Amino acid sequence: MSATMKLKQGSFLWYLYLDKLYCLLSVRNVKALLEYFHLLDVHHNNTLNDVLFYHFLHHVTSWKRTQIMTVFNMLDWNAMGEIGFDQFYMLVCILLAQQNHLEEQFIFRHSRPVFELLDLEGELRIGAENFHMYNFLFNIKKQDLRELYHDFDITGDRRLNYKEFKLFTIFTMDKYQERQKAEKDKDKGKKDLLKKKRLHHVNVSLKQFLGINVSESRL
């Protein structure tokens, strides 16, 4: 996904909660999403065609039409011109992961489904062009994309098989956790500094107060 993609406030997806550890919806949220899917399915086919799909994403996201149709074609892997609830659920989880800045976590937890989505030709290999085409979905940094094929293309064919892709997801997850730890340490440092300043302020105030009382007691 592009960095500017946002779920539109007040839309149905805005109120769904994505588990931050496993990047999945709760059973209650899945049931609510299924009901929502049935409401969108005006033809009662248990599927969404490209028109219904476009209007759904246009309503809940800031994606452009070309991006929406690119995603539809990716999800419609058997070229039937429609998608079912499984693909719809996968998409919603991706949207919520991006909204909550959990892209690395999502790719790591669901590496097999993500690999299959990006494997457009069913060749069990992913070329660099696939990542560039769908990078607005997963928001992989350009530097990470360069490292992806430089460091993890073990076979040297400029394409990744699943094992190579899995290694990449482990690597990006490690980097994500390192960033999270660094941010926590930074926040802890700020809190400790603020605490010291407050203690210093209290001590100064206390000394001033005691000093005034001492001077008053001498008079």
Side-chain angles (χ1 to χ4, degrees):
M1 296 180 193
S2 68
T4 57
M5 198 295 295
K6 295 292 181 184
L7 291 180
K8 293 182 180 177
Q9 191 168 356
S11 66
F12 174 75
L13 299 191
W14 185 265
Y15 301 100
L16 296 179
Y17 173 76
L18 187 75
D19 180 87
K20 292 183 178 181
L21 181 61
Y22 297 103
C23 291
L24 293 171
L25 297 179
S26 67
V27 173
R28 179 179 295 180
N29 277 185
V30 172
K31 288 180 178 178
L33 186 64
L34 182 58
E35 290 297 320
Y36 185 70
F37 179 80
H38 288 321
L39 288 175
L40 294 173
D41 176 25
V42 296
H43 302 298
H44 306 293
N45 295 324
N46 290 322
T47 59
L48 300 181
N49 60 27
D50 56 346
V51 175
L52 296 172
F53 185 83
Y54 167 76
H55 285 291
F56 158 68
L57 281 181
H58 179 69
H59 175 67
V60 301
T61 74
S62 59
W63 276 349
K64 298 176 181 178
R65 185 182 187 89
T66 52
Q67 292 174 313
I68 293 174
M69 299 318 297
T70 296
V71 173
F72 179 82
N73 291 331
M74 178 184 71
L75 294 173
D76 180 27
W77 58 271
N78 56 2
M80 296 292 290
E82 56 191 19
I83 66 163
F85 180 74
D86 288 346
Q87 294 96 331
F88 183 75
Y89 173 74
M90 177 78 166
L91 171 65
V92 168
C93 288
I94 292 173
L95 291 173
L96 293 175
Q98 199 281 337
Q99 179 72 10
N100 291 284
H101 308 292
L102 296 170
E103 296 96 328
E104 294 97 337
Q105 181 91 343
F106 182 88
I107 294 173
F108 173 73
R109 289 292 180 184
H110 307 289
S111 57
R112 174 63 74 177
V114 170
F115 180 84
E116 290 175 352
L117 281 176
L118 294 173
D119 179 23
L120 302 177
E121 306 300 327
E123 299 177 341
L124 304 180
R125 296 285 190 280
I126 303 176
E129 64 278 4
N130 298 47
F131 278 100
H132 288 293
M133 185 183 302
Y134 296 107
N135 196 35
F136 69 94
L137 266 176
F138 302 107
N139 204 23
I140 302 173
K141 295 177 177 61
K142 290 183 178 180
Q143 179 62 31
D144 289 340
L145 279 176
R146 284 194 291 269
E147 292 175 353
L148 171 60
Y149 283 89
H150 182 268
D151 298 334
F152 298 97
D153 178 22
I154 299 171
T155 57
D157 61 355
R158 298 297 298 162
R159 298 190 301 171
L160 299 185
N161 59 34
Y162 177 67
K163 288 184 178 179
E164 293 168 336
F165 179 72
K166 183 63 178 179
L167 285 174
F168 168 71
T169 67
I170 295 171
F171 172 75
T172 54
M173 190 61 197
D174 286 343
K175 288 182 67 176
Y176 169 76
Q177 291 175 336
E178 288 174 3
R179 288 200 308 271
Q180 292 292 99
K181 185 178 183 300
E183 289 175 5
K184 286 182 180 179
D185 291 343
K186 186 177 179 181
D187 289 340
K188 185 177 183 299
K190 287 181 179 179
K191 288 179 181 178
D192 289 343
L193 181 60
L194 183 60
K195 186 177 180 180
K196 287 180 181 178
K197 287 183 178 179
R198 285 175 177 170
L199 285 173
H200 176 71
H201 179 71
V202 169
N203 288 334
V204 170
S205 300
L206 183 60
K207 287 179 181 178
Q208 289 175 343
F209 175 74
L210 292 174
I212 291 172
N213 281 344
V214 169
S215 63
E216 286 179 347
S217 65
R218 289 175 180 173
L219 291 176

